Amino acid sequence: MIDGFIALYIFMLAAFTGYEVIGRVPTILHTPLMSGSNFVHGIVLVGAMVALGRADTTLELVIGFLGVALGAGNAVGGYVVTERMLEMFKSSKPAGGTAGGTAGGKKH
Amino acid sequence: MGGGIAAVLVSASYLLAAFLFITGLKRMSSPVTARGGIGWAGAGMVVATIATFFTPDMSNIVLILVAIALGGGVAWITGKRVAMTDMPQMIALYNGMGGGAAAAIAAVELFKGEAHSTMVLALAVLGGLIGAVSFSGSLIAFGKLQDLIKRSFRFRGQNVVNLALLLASVLVGASLVLAAAGPVPGMVTLFFGLALVLGVTMTLPIGGADMPVVISLYNALTGLAVAFEGFVLNNAAMIIAGMVVGSAGTLLTQLMAKAMNRSLANVLFSGFGDTAGPQGEVSGSMKPIDAADVGVMMAFAQKVIIVPGYGMAVAQAQHKVWELAKLLQERGVTVKFAIHPVAGRMPGHMNVLLAEAGVPYDVIYDESEINAEFDNTDVALIIGANDVVNPAARTDKSSPIYGMPILNADKSRNVIVVKRGKGAGFSGIENGLFFLDNTHMLYGDGQAVAAALIQAVKAL
């Protein structure tokens, strides 16, 4: 159980952690990192699952269902987009002339 | 909530997930380890999601599975299919979904109307407000970047309206917290209605050039909302992950706003891109040039700086541009890429595209590194960039972008602007650079123009 002040301690320490982790990031990684952090708050899925898991009335069920679907969208979409973006940082040679849209760059 | 071994295992899994998230983010903040980072964070998400099924007192398991399959499936398909150039709006969309999920958690808790402490209720309401604003605001941002919403809507006293909406939602929210008999369903509905409208009216007036900052802000806000709802649900993984994103996102937002020399308040409350005000007169005429001449000019130059912008992204021209650059390098021309921090629709947007085309990092420079070099540059080739090279930012106090650090492309001996047509940029601001004596306009789609330039250089 997390109560009162313990929660505040966690809030504070997590805030500093986020600040430090991002601290000295090169511009080149800003977009992937924004996308990556967007994925991380997809953890909201877990909370939505609990909310739906305890829902009773039809209204709660509908809202809970929407919440889980949206949360899953956040997590899955955030992952796919971040992964595709970071994928491109791997190759040092151009993988071919075709325009973007195809994931799975050549392994080198 | 019952105790028992299951509850302990769930908590332990959340602890592991929090560790994996932070490690993943840390790795993502360095180019060398960035690729693996998302894998760590992804593992954390899988661990946390599976563990949650074992939470005591969980029912509706089938509904949960269907919802995950539905939301996750749609996001998987759209995320895989979308072109690299459309990434920014997809981030906005997925972020909005997260905000919506946080608001949904708050809504379920409030509609349940169970007895909670004042602090729990307050955080539920606050998280719900932030989540709902982030949800509708992100959807508007998505609509704008996807060109579903063409113009910035402004009306008289919009700041007053927004302030009134914010005050109203806070007051209704406070009444929910303080209601002795628990939240009244009607008031809960009103509360979320107000918050959703606020997100829309807050975002509609913001011009396209500021969208990166806004998306980053909503990203941070969603993180906060998730952390608050995590407190309500007594969920440590949500508190930690949400708060880490909240603070990291806030810092990222500040970095972006700083790069544009604008305060966050300025971004949110001023009508950027509103060209109605008196602006400095732009005199002179735009001089067209054809690709063959530009090819000669660049082939015999000593130093060429390429300034990419959103136009390059739209035209998917990054591969052709890099091919052109390599061709010039083979002829002994020094070629560098200059990237403004807010070029494109997100910071680092151009870096991502150039990385996709295989451009090595060591020829890519950011604004502060390369600005002094334009003075001894023969040709500055501007592909689809506009506001980030507008000299009005240095000289014209009446310009909305006055004070924003720009790339000093106008200082090079020749400026070639590749542009599709004569219109103003995304922000709607006239660009004096196009009318300078040393500037020539090369009209056409970025990719077609780059291909023509490659032909011209090869023909020499």
Side-chain angles (χ1 to χ4, degrees):
Chain A
M1 280 314 91
I2 314 152
D3 39 29
F5 269 97
I6 303 292
L8 290 181
Y9 286 132
I10 300 180
F11 275 132
M12 184 189 72
L13 292 174
F16 274 113
T17 307
Y19 200 87
E20 284 303 317
V21 163
I22 301 279
R24 289 162 294 277
V25 174
T27 325
I28 191 163
L29 282 172
H30 277 178
T31 296
L33 202 56
M34 187 202 293
S35 180
S37 57
N38 176 40
F39 163 68
V40 166
H41 67 51
I43 189 67
V44 72
L45 166 63
V46 164
M49 285 166 70
V50 173
L52 177 54
R54 296 193 190 139
D56 300 316
T57 67
T58 312
L59 180 64
E60 288 164 24
L61 284 171
V62 170
I63 299 173
F65 186 85
L66 280 177
V68 174
L70 289 173
N74 182 183
V76 172
Y79 182 86
V80 172
V81 164
T82 311
E83 210 241 347
R84 277 184 60 191
M85 222 179 270
L86 290 172
E87 183 82 21
M88 297 179 311
F89 284 82
K90 197 181 187 188
S91 59
S92 51
K93 296 268 171 228
T98 48
T102 49
K106 290 216 175 77
K107 300 228 155 94
H108 199 73
Chain B
M1 212 199 278
I5 190 85
V8 173
L9 278 179
V10 171
S11 295
S13 307
Y14 285 168
L15 181 67
L16 176 64
F19 167 77
L20 290 170
F21 285 146
I22 295 172
T23 309
L25 275 181
K26 182 73 200 163
R27 293 179 81 84
M28 269 186 255
S29 60
S30 155
V32 188
T33 54
R35 274 197 86 243
I38 185 67
W40 286 74
M45 193 67 75
V46 172
V47 167
T49 308
I50 293 175
T52 303
F53 281 106
F54 297 95
T55 306
D57 308 328
M58 286 280 277
S59 45
N60 307 324
I61 299 289
V62 176
L63 266 185
I64 294 177
L65 286 171
V66 171
I68 291 178
L70 198 70
V74 170
W76 178 272
I77 293 167
T78 51
K80 283 282 183 198
R81 282 206 185 146
V82 67
M84 267 307 154
T85 40
D86 294 337
M87 285 295 172
Q89 53 263 50
M90 295 317 283
I91 296 178
L93 183 64
Y94 299 138
N95 174 57
M97 289 175 145
I105 294 172
V108 170
E109 288 301 314
L110 292 173
F111 276 123
K112 266 187 183 304
E114 281 171 8
H116 282 299
S117 72
T118 311
M119 179 152 169
V120 168
L121 275 179
L123 284 181
V125 165
L126 195 57
L129 172 64
I130 297 172
V133 167
S134 174
F135 174 67
S136 58
S138 294
L139 289 189
I140 298 293
F142 169 79
K144 285 198 165 200
L145 291 178
Q146 192 73 17
D147 279 337
L148 299 173
I149 303 168
K150 302 279 187 200
R151 288 297 310 165
S152 302
F153 294 87
R154 282 189 198 86
F155 48 92
R156 269 175 180 283
Q158 61 196 19
N159 286 340
V160 180
V161 172
N162 287 344
L163 190 67
L165 274 169
L166 177 65
L167 272 179
S169 357
V170 168
L171 282 178
V172 176
S175 82
L176 291 177
V177 175
L178 299 175
V184 188
M187 291 297 266
V188 176
T189 311
L190 175 66
F191 171 69
F192 282 105
L194 283 170
L196 289 173
V197 174
L198 175 62
V200 173
T201 57
M202 246 177 80
T203 320
L204 271 180
I206 298 172
D210 283 335
M211 270 309 143
V213 183
V214 174
I215 295 174
S216 177
L217 177 70
Y218 283 141
N219 185 41
L221 285 180
T222 304
L224 270 186
V226 171
F228 291 162
E229 298 310 327
F231 181 83
V232 175
L233 297 174
N234 221 321
N235 186 315
M238 281 172 74
I239 298 182
I240 295 174
M243 206 64 202
V244 165
V245 173
S247 74
T250 307
L251 179 61
L252 212 50
T253 311
Q254 280 171 347
L255 289 175
M256 284 181 213
K258 204 171 141 198
M260 299 166 74
N261 202 22
R262 286 156 67 66
S263 70
L264 206 49
N266 202 345
V267 169
L268 290 177
F269 305 123
S270 73
F272 189 85
D274 196 351
T275 49
Q279 271 191 57
E281 284 291 306
V282 178
S283 59
S285 61
M286 297 197 211
K287 299 170 289 296
I289 191 169
D290 62 39
D293 291 342
V294 178
V296 173
M297 193 190 277
M298 291 199 299
F300 294 101
Q302 286 193 326
K303 187 160 156 192
V304 172
I305 295 182
I306 299 175
V307 182
Y310 189 63
M312 183 186 82
V314 171
Q316 293 281 5
Q318 60 271 26
H319 298 276
K320 289 281 180 216
V321 169
W322 174 226
E323 202 181 326
L324 172 67
K326 279 189 291 191
L327 214 54
L328 292 172
Q329 282 176 339
E330 280 162 22
R331 299 183 61 101
V333 181
T334 307
V335 182
K336 294 182 174 179
F337 288 85
I339 301 200
H340 191 274
V342 293
R345 291 292 182 270
M346 297 197 130
H349 193 183
M350 292 300 121
N351 302 78
V352 170
L353 291 182
L354 291 178
E356 186 199 11
V359 180
Y361 302 140
D362 53 4
V363 297
I364 301 176
Y365 298 84
D366 69 26
E367 171 248 328
S368 55
E369 289 171 322
I370 205 165
N371 245 350
E373 291 193 33
F374 280 106
D375 289 315
N376 57 25
T377 296
D378 300 299
V379 182
L381 180 69
I382 296 162
I383 302 186
N386 194 338
D387 296 327
V388 298
V389 291
N390 191 343
R394 280 201 311 263
T395 53
D396 182 3
K397 282 196 175 163
S398 64
S399 172
I401 57 168
Y402 180 74
M404 178 172 100
I406 57 155
L407 289 162
N408 296 328
D410 55 316
K411 304 233 166 130
S412 47
R413 269 167 227 123
N414 294 284
V415 181
I416 305 298
V417 178
V418 178
K419 206 169 171 303
R420 262 194 299 190
K422 295 190 178 181
F426 195 53
S427 63
I429 303 164
E430 199 63 73
N431 193 338
L433 173 72
F434 302 163
F435 301 89
L436 293 178
D437 288 340
N438 56 339
T439 302
H440 288 86
M441 309 296 291
L442 183 51
Y443 291 115
D445 167 78
Q447 191 169 342
V449 165
L453 288 175
I454 291 169
Q455 288 310 317
V457 174
K458 273 188 180 160
L460 291 170

